[in-house]
Amino acid sequence: MKRLKSIINLLLPVATFAVIIIAWAALCASEALPAFMMPSPKAVLDAFIGDFKLLCIHSKYTLAETFTGMGISIVLSFLLAVVMDRFNWIKKAVYPLLVVTQTVPSIAIAPLLVLWFGFGMSPKVILIVVVCFFPLAIGFLDGFASADEDEIKLLKSMGANNAQIFRHVKFPRSLPHFFAGLKVSSSYCIVSAVISEWLGGTNGLGVYMTRVRKSYAFDKMFAVIILVSLLSILLMALISLLEKVTMPYNNKEKKQ
Amino acid sequence: MNNILYANKISKSFDGNFIFRDLSISLQKGETLALLGPSGIGKTTLLNILSGVLAPDSGNVYLKGEDITAKPGHISYMQQKDLLLPYYTVAENVALPLIIKGEKKNVAIETVKKHFEFFGISGYENKYPKEMSGGMKQRAALLRTVIQSQGVILLDEPFGALDAVTRNKMQKWYLDIKDQMKISTIIITHDTDEALILADRIIVMKDSLTIKELKVNDKCKDFELTKEFLQKKKEVLGYL
């Protein structure tokens, strides 16, 4: 009974997608829309397969930018959060700035970054850092602050110094918050990379997108959009896996 | 004097209100001393001072003659909650005081594992705290406290969160282990029965400045079922 339920739970979302694709195919087959504007699922799939090699090459660049940007964001946000947690006046001084950077629309500063840093990888990576930094830094900060006062007192009564309190209480307490922030920012990450590739560059899915758009290749346009969302899903799955590996104590909770 | 722990004329005030004024407390080797009194009169503050986590306004705390005022790390302290860290296994939790003192993690874990059997939590070494029952967690927390200690432990309502049956078992069990582990204890409680069952000496605090002392040694088996127990209980309640 329980197994049946879990199978149904798995099938429901699959069914939703299937219905949407069938409806899409039916709409195209009925010729209510001109085929060049709304390609059929079959045409999109063909475009995807036909351009697969090219898509792979461009994905490699986009993913490289994404991972570099994410890596830099994680390191920087961790360092800043540690300093902000340690010195309250720095926290007070910097926190509003963090919020403000978040309200600046990333699409608006992307052209500026291209003007400043050229058509290479750096403006893309910088945009990703600007976008991802905030949720990650806030995740760490909230995590550090969520450490129980009594747990800190316990460590103090053991004679622990600040570094040890950080190592044994604050850092492990921040991990769930950090991963929540990482999941949020991961979906921004790839989109930011793609947007900044629109504005200039020679490689990447954004560049590919601009090219197929200019040649009105709608089927390829759809193919690359689907690829971008697939990559986002894979990235999130990777983060979930990482979360399970780093926090084995949480997995058992779910089983119970 | 056979005092293992001695607090001399401790004063502490918050916002100008005295919590204690010139309070002196001594603990003898192997003794269990209960601090009994209503909530909110500063019993926990006193333990914070004795453990060195909090500095007194004036006065000193001596452990085996050494001044340890406001120097944490010498006296182990078990707070009201078990405070087992959920992201560490039970063995890692228990070994934490040794790891903090600079011992290698695997050595520390091997050292503490020897005591699991005696504390009735063997088999839980590599499990996480949430897989244990309330009583088990309390035993693990107590083992950690004993591992951390140099003979003196402070317990802040250690069995307060447990159900009555488990609490009763834990009290009996505690009386067993404290002799075998040769520990001297100060225990905070607001439960008169618990104080009478566990302690050799009770300090009754009506408010922080009115203190009465009462000896409860030479207890027979099943002391809590005797007439003397009721007599002592009347006496204690009379003070409060």
Side-chain angles (χ1 to χ4, degrees):
Chain A
M1 193 63 206
K2 221 176 180 182
R3 241 181 98 187
L4 190 72
K5 221 174 182 180
S6 70
I7 291 170
I8 290 174
N9 281 345
L10 198 77
L11 281 179
L12 275 175
V14 175
T16 312
F17 278 108
V19 167
I20 290 173
I21 291 172
I22 290 168
W24 174 13
L27 194 69
C28 292
S30 72
E31 291 178 2
L33 290 167
F36 70 93
M37 279 182 82
M38 189 70 193
S40 69
K42 171 87 172 48
V44 173
L45 189 66
D46 286 344
F48 192 86
I49 293 168
D51 257 7
F52 189 69
K53 258 191 179 162
L54 197 59
L55 284 169
C56 280
I57 294 168
H58 285 297
S59 301
K60 215 169 67 189
Y61 286 93
T62 306
L63 284 178
E65 289 155 10
T66 306
F67 282 115
T68 315
M70 262 187 150
I72 293 174
S73 308
I74 291 171
V75 173
L76 283 183
S77 61
F78 177 73
L79 292 178
L80 184 72
V82 169
V83 174
M84 282 170 79
D85 180 68
R86 184 78 187 77
F87 303 102
N88 203 26
W89 63 272
I90 295 186
K91 187 174 181 175
K92 280 184 184 147
V94 177
Y95 203 100
L97 181 71
L98 276 181
V99 178
V100 169
T101 60
Q102 206 52 22
T103 60
V104 175
S106 57
I107 305 170
I109 58 163
L112 265 180
L113 292 173
V114 173
L115 291 177
W116 285 335
F117 300 102
F119 295 122
M121 218 172 134
S122 45
K124 286 112 189 168
V125 171
I126 291 169
L127 186 69
I128 292 171
V129 172
V130 169
V131 171
C132 289
F133 186 78
F134 177 80
L136 292 179
I138 297 299
F140 276 124
L141 266 180
D142 288 352
F144 296 156
S146 78
D148 189 343
E149 277 305 311
D150 287 333
E151 285 175 0
I152 293 172
K153 202 163 85 184
L154 173 77
L155 272 273
K156 274 187 186 160
S157 84
M158 292 179 188
N161 56 32
N162 278 332
Q164 284 170 321
I165 289 173
F166 183 81
R167 159 87 186 72
H168 293 291
V169 177
K170 288 194 169 183
F171 180 66
R173 283 285 177 206
S174 76
L175 281 178
H177 298 257
F178 161 70
F179 277 110
L182 193 60
K183 275 183 197 157
V184 171
S185 61
S186 72
S187 53
Y188 297 163
C189 260
I190 293 185
V191 174
S192 302
V194 169
I195 288 175
S196 53
E197 283 162 356
W198 284 350
L199 299 163
T202 46
N203 291 299
L205 290 173
V207 175
Y208 176 90
M209 231 182 236
T210 319
R211 284 179 191 159
V212 295
R213 182 170 52 88
K214 282 181 179 160
S215 54
Y216 297 95
F218 283 82
D219 50 349
K220 290 180 180 178
M221 197 67 192
F222 271 85
V224 70
I225 289 170
I226 290 169
L227 179 61
V228 167
S229 70
L230 273 180
L231 289 178
S232 296
I233 291 168
L234 282 178
L235 191 61
M236 264 198 229
L238 184 72
I239 291 166
S240 292
L241 185 73
L242 204 67
E243 189 178 8
K244 276 191 185 138
V245 172
T246 23
M247 300 192 292
Y249 46 92
N250 272 359
N251 307 345
K252 291 204 172 149
E253 191 167 42
K254 277 168 198 158
K255 268 184 212 157
Q256 275 176 350
Chain B
M1 285 272 267
N2 205 10
N3 288 340
I4 187 161
L5 180 72
Y6 180 55
N8 187 30
K9 295 190 172 169
I10 302 283
S11 298
K12 180 78 191 172
S13 58
F14 286 116
D15 305 323
N17 297 321
F18 270 104
I19 311 261
F20 326 104
R21 192 178 284 164
D22 294 337
L23 178 70
S24 295
I25 279 187
S26 63
L27 179 70
Q28 295 187 353
K29 205 167 179 192
E31 185 186 32
T32 302
L33 170 67
L35 298 179
L36 179 70
S39 317
I41 57 157
K43 295 180 308 241
T44 300
T45 308
L46 182 61
L47 287 207
N48 283 339
I49 291 172
L50 292 178
S51 68
V53 177
L54 189 71
D57 297 341
S58 65
N60 294 82
V61 182
Y62 300 95
L63 177 69
K64 296 170 190 164
E66 187 195 345
D67 188 347
I68 56 156
T69 317
K71 280 184 213 155
H74 294 90
I75 294 186
S76 57
Y77 177 15
M78 180 168 149
Q79 299 173 60
Q80 290 176 21
K81 292 180 271 179
D82 59 67
L83 292 180
L84 295 169
L85 305 173
Y87 36 84
Y88 286 152
T89 63
V90 178
E92 284 169 338
N93 263 293
V94 174
L96 194 58
L98 301 179
I99 295 169
I100 297 284
K101 285 197 176 108
E103 211 162 300
K104 276 217 178 91
K105 193 174 154 186
N106 49 357
V107 179
I109 286 177
E110 282 315 308
T111 311
V112 299
K113 272 186 179 172
K114 290 175 203 151
H115 300 286
F116 269 63
E117 178 87 54
F118 184 51
F119 272 69
I121 46 174
S122 62
Y124 284 90
E125 288 85 347
N126 298 320
K127 302 214 160 148
Y128 289 102
K130 65 166 147 261
E131 297 171 75
M132 298 176 112
S133 68
M136 291 269 194
K137 281 184 196 166
Q138 222 62 23
R139 283 164 195 251
L142 195 60
L143 174 56
R144 178 177 63 192
T145 314
V146 172
I147 292 284
Q148 186 193 339
S149 81
Q150 299 169 6
V152 179
I153 62 176
L154 310 176
L155 305 176
D156 190 350
E157 291 181 17
F159 312 128
L162 301 174
D163 62 89
V165 178
T166 315
R167 190 188 312 146
N168 212 286
K169 275 189 197 155
M170 291 289 290
Q171 288 165 346
K172 289 255 159 65
W173 169 78
Y174 173 76
L175 289 173
D176 259 3
I177 63 142
K178 69 148 189 177
D179 288 332
Q180 297 201 45
M181 304 292 283
K182 295 192 180 71
I183 40 184
S184 323
T185 317
I186 296 180
I187 179 167
I188 283 186
T189 180
H190 50 221
D191 179 350
T192 314
D193 290 13
E194 181 166 86
L196 286 166
I197 291 168
L198 296 180
D200 305 309
R201 192 154 56 95
I202 300 176
I203 290 180
V204 185
M205 303 168 91
K206 187 177 178 184
D207 52 65
S208 54
L209 304 173
T210 321
I211 283 168
K212 282 273 191 286
E213 207 180 299
L214 187 86
K215 280 200 188 286
V216 218
N217 29 17
D218 303 324
K219 283 184 281 192
C220 54
K221 202 173 168 270
D222 291 325
F223 174 64
E224 70 270 26
L225 303 175
T226 61
K227 270 189 182 161
E228 287 138 279
F229 179 84
L230 281 178
Q231 240 162 19
K232 290 274 183 196
K233 192 170 173 179
K234 262 185 200 159
E235 201 177 334
V236 171
L237 292 174
Y239 288 144
L240 282 169

